[in-house]
Amino acid sequence: MALELDEQTRVRREKLQKMRDAGQAYPHFVEVKNSIDELLKHEAQTDPEKLKALGTYSIAGRVQFIRAFGKAGFLKIRDRNGSLQIYVAKDQVSEQNFETYKTVDLGDVVRVVGYLFRTKTNELSLHVEKFELLAKCLHAPPEKFHGLSDIEERYRRRYLDLMSNDRAREVFKIRSRMVQEIRNYFLEKDFLEVETPMMHPLVGGASARPFITHHNTLDMQLFLRIAPELYLKRLVVGGYERVFEVNRNFRNEGISVRHNPEFTMLEFYMAYATYHTLMDMTEDLVSSLVKKLFEGKTKITYQETELEFQKPWTRISMENSVKQMSGFKGSVKDLSAMRKYLSDKGVHMSGREGPGALLTMIFESDVEHQLIQPTFVTGYPVEVSPLARRSDEKSPEGYDVTDRFEMFINGQEIANGFNELNDPDDQRERFEAQLKEKAAGNVEASDYDADYINALEYGLPPTAGEGIGIDRLAMILTDSPSIRDVILFPQLKKLSKEGEDVSEKKK
């Protein structure tokens, strides 16, 4: 199949063909001893003799800038840690090296060997003694200072976004450091990091619509996990009293600035702890992350809103938050009043909801978006908490609540934690209630997990567990407006062969 090439690509391919003919295309056995940040450590040194005495460096990177003068020229190359100007002179390198240098285009990957010096403008640079072209860039790269202008294209071709966008590179470095600091936090507290299955025979651990697949050899239906919860608690039964997992979950739901079908969660479980312990730990974890990432500061700005992470954070029950921050002023006991209020707001109801479920709907409709500063909401109803332990006392309005909390920042749910339900008979009843929900058409209801009930019958110690959304937390800590800004390769709509958005075309 013949390729239709633009002029730039045609010229670049002609250069590549000459390299192929000379047996010089795509060399592999190269040695790169240094990274550019090692050289930049000598930025303060101005004595040319001392710079040269530092010896010879070998670096490699992508060409960002070219300025040629015939028998000499300057390039700027970037590696994983920084960028540096290099100087190539015809009389300082071999004839073959100089001929290779003359074929270089923006975006090419090169390796150079040389010594440090300063130009007439006092810029620290590398005086090249050996020059190699490692990989030819066959298309013009995005313009360095503006990058890809189309946001969708940035997500779809992340490699070009990272190539041209300093901000994007920094976001993912911060995310990586954030995850590493989280791991360190739990390891220092004697937690064991584990890995649990990503393909489950049953749906469980959360309320969500699953992705369904099929295992041919076993001839059985499997589900991509929506949460690792039930497996992690099995480990607590087995004697691992403190476990955590940084895991991928999959939920067959909508895509938005806050949702991606594939996302990353931290889940951890701690025996002989309560959800109050976990709230304290979450405060400590997140506030310490902010301090480490922002040079000791506790205040950061997210989308022009100042957020304060200094402890302690606000803690409020769901019922009190609705009474204080919602337009609903009636009693939770008055189901008809709650239904009318929700109906007037256009909230869909099935008609089977009890007081706790209706209260939760009002909370989600009226209150969540107002929780800007870090806030813990407690007292979640049993109806919406199938895996949480039932509280010893009822709510002030008389409905059953659980020992559960959710943590919100900037109107987003970031974490969900609770005292785990360890009564096998109570859990059995909850699973049976979920089966009724499923039979009634609730695609997010859980299956009945008989083996998990069996595990509980062997004795789950008093345990508290929590899940923290890594992607959403990364959004906050990198000031990113969309979850797709903090996921390297987010899920996107399918394109046709012509590059059109198929889903839009169908409409």
Side-chain angles (χ1 to χ4, degrees), residues 264-386:
T264 305
M265 290 282 290
L266 160 73
E267 287 219 14
F268 65 98
Y269 293 84
M270 187 176 184
Y272 315 115
T274 72
Y275 75 108
H276 294 288
T277 311
L278 300 195
M279 285 192 282
D280 293 340
M281 286 179 64
T282 305
E283 273 184 344
D284 186 52
L285 168 64
V286 177
S287 62
S288 66
L289 272 176
V290 172
K291 289 178 182 178
K292 287 179 179 179
L293 295 175
F294 297 94
E295 300 177 339
K297 297 178 182 177
T298 60
K299 287 184 180 180
I300 64 172
T301 299
Y302 178 71
Q303 300 298 290
E304 301 182 354
T305 297
E306 187 174 74
L307 301 175
E308 173 60 81
F309 289 90
Q310 182 64 48
K311 300 181 290 185
W313 299 351
T314 298
R315 302 184 185 192
I316 187 172
S317 71
M318 178 186 288
E319 186 174 305
N320 284 338
S321 73
V322 167
K323 289 178 178 178
Q324 295 174 23
M325 305 169 71
S326 167
F328 178 73
K329 302 305 178 185
S331 169
V332 177
K333 296 177 181 178
D334 191 343
L335 302 190
S336 60
M338 285 198 289
R339 288 196 179 99
K340 183 178 186 308
Y341 180 80
L342 289 165
S343 178
D344 291 344
K345 294 177 72 68
V347 177
H348 172 73
M349 291 168 288
S350 67
R352 300 185 306 275
E353 299 89 356
L358 294 170
L359 178 72
T360 304
M361 289 179 175
I362 296 175
F363 169 79
E364 291 172 347
S365 171
D366 288 11
V367 179
E368 275 191 10
H369 66 276
Q370 299 184 58
L371 303 176
I372 303 302
Q373 298 303 320
T375 302
F376 292 108
V377 176
T378 61
Y380 275 71
V382 168
E383 293 169 76
V384 296
S385 311

Side-chain angles (χ1 to χ4, degrees), residues 203-218:
V203 179
S207 297
R209 187 170 189 166
F211 286 94
I212 304 172
T213 187
H214 186 270
H215 192 287
N216 292 332
T217 301
L218 297 177

Side-chain angles (χ1 to χ4, degrees), residues 105 144 170 375 385:
D105 294 301
K144 177 181 181 296
E170 184 62 21
T375 302
S385 311

Side-chain angles (χ1 to χ4, degrees), residues 445-464:
S446 299
D447 288 327
Y448 186 99
D449 191 334
D451 180 72
Y452 180 67
I453 296 294
N454 190 52
L456 292 184
E457 289 176 344
Y458 279 91
L460 173 67
T463 299

Side-chain angles (χ1 to χ4, degrees), residues 203-204 206-210 226 251-254 386 434 437-438 441-447:
V203 179
S207 297
R209 187 170 189 166
I226 58 175
R251 299 183 183 180
N252 199 353
E253 299 169 345
Q434 287 286 296
E437 287 284 317
K438 187 182 286 284
N442 183 355
V443 295
E444 296 186 349
S446 299
D447 288 327

Side-chain angles (χ1 to χ4, degrees), residues 60-75:
R62 191 175 295 277
V63 176
Q64 292 184 298
F65 172 80
I66 301 174
R67 189 171 69 215
F69 302 110
K71 294 184 178 181
F74 288 95
L75 306 176

